[in-house]
Amino acid sequence: MTERDSQVVEFINKYKLCTSNHVYKVYFSQVDQTVCKRRLKYLADYGYIQREKFNGNNYIYYSDKKVAHRLIAHDLLITDFVVKLLEEGYEILEFKKSFTLGEIISDAYLKVSKENKVKNILLEVQLSNHDCLSKYKKLKKLAIEHTNWDVLPRIVVAGNVEPQDILGLKISYLNLNMEGELCI
């Protein structure tokens, strides 16, 4: 197993679910995509990672626990966001999926760094049209009580959601293709 293979396995273990395109963008962008797919097949064949077909002839890759079928699209969007950050030059210092702060459960918490600035992000992936933001109205109070954050995190909503303002919070909106203004 190569050093890059080890990094790929670590990436999959950390973010739980990805596609070959995610791995390609982060680790193999300088070579043909078939090299990436061949290495992923090798890692799966030798038991370092798991894979299964999803959405036609595409594969999803995961570490040990198979993701519930109803959550695959949702969780792949979390990984899409991580890859977007990495492509934009951010270093991921901390990542927690299903992050809980009091009664708020966000899809992910990320602590990122770029140009010696550290930022906290709460990610909401929204595939349905129910309100995913009103729970954040108590964020300031909960953050003061339960964290050592110097500033409130940026909330990033990925999905086709009607933008709304919540007093005192910074919210960025991305569509399902991770397009939009990412102000972190």
Side-chain angles (χ1 to χ4, degrees):
M1 184 157 71
T2 68
E3 183 177 333
R4 182 170 56 187
D5 289 344
S6 295
Q7 292 170 341
V8 168
V9 171
E10 185 178 320
F11 179 86
I12 294 169
N13 286 335
K14 186 173 186 177
Y15 302 112
K16 307 299 183 208
L17 183 69
C18 67
T19 64
S20 62
N21 197 42
H22 292 132
V23 174
Y24 175 77
K25 287 178 176 181
V26 176
Y27 297 104
F28 291 87
S29 63
Q30 303 301 316
V31 297
D32 190 78
Q33 200 162 17
T34 57
V35 175
C36 175
K37 290 179 179 181
R38 201 168 45 239
R39 293 312 299 165
L40 286 167
K41 183 180 182 325
Y42 168 86
L43 293 171
D45 287 348
Y46 284 89
Y48 295 105
I49 59 174
Q50 307 297 315
R51 79 177 189 162
E52 71 176 64
K53 281 199 174 194
F54 175 74
N55 206 14
N57 285 330
N58 299 313
Y59 285 96
I60 53 170
Y61 300 88
Y62 54 96
S63 52
D64 53 358
K65 285 188 178 179
K66 188 175 179 179
V67 177
H69 192 73
R70 65 182 176 77
L71 295 176
I72 291 173
H74 179 273
D75 289 3
L76 287 175
L77 285 167
I78 294 172
T79 309
D80 285 347
F81 181 69
V82 167
V83 170
K84 179 178 180 65
L85 289 173
L86 293 170
E87 287 179 320
E88 292 190 11
Y90 288 92
E91 178 185 356
I92 312 274
L93 303 174
E94 194 174 338
F95 173 84
K96 292 180 184 169
K97 193 172 162 211
S98 299
F99 177 74
T100 303
L101 181 62
E103 64 244 27
I104 297 173
I105 302 173
S106 65
D107 291 320
Y109 162 76
L110 297 97
K111 183 176 189 176
V112 300
S113 173
K114 183 177 180 180
E115 299 169 357
N116 296 320
K117 293 180 183 175
V118 176
K119 303 285 184 167
N120 295 309
I121 302 168
L122 294 176
L123 177 65
E124 278 296 324
V125 172
Q126 194 60 30
L127 296 175
S128 67
N129 55 5
H130 91 279
D131 175 22
C132 68
L133 289 175
S134 60
K135 64 185 174 186
Y136 288 103
K137 290 179 181 175
K138 298 178 183 178
L139 178 62
K140 186 174 183 178
K141 179 182 181 288
L142 291 169
I144 290 169
E145 292 174 358
H146 299 287
T147 73
N148 60 358
W149 295 334
D150 295 331
V151 295
L152 287 177
R154 160 86 52 190
I155 298 170
V156 176
V157 180
N160 296 324
V161 176
E162 191 66 36
Q164 56 181 295
D165 289 325
I166 298 176
L167 186 65
L169 297 181
K170 295 177 182 175
I171 305 172
S172 292
Y173 293 90
L174 302 171
N175 65 23
L176 294 176
N177 294 321
M178 294 297 136
E179 299 165 335
E181 190 174 342
L182 183 60
C183 302
I184 298 177

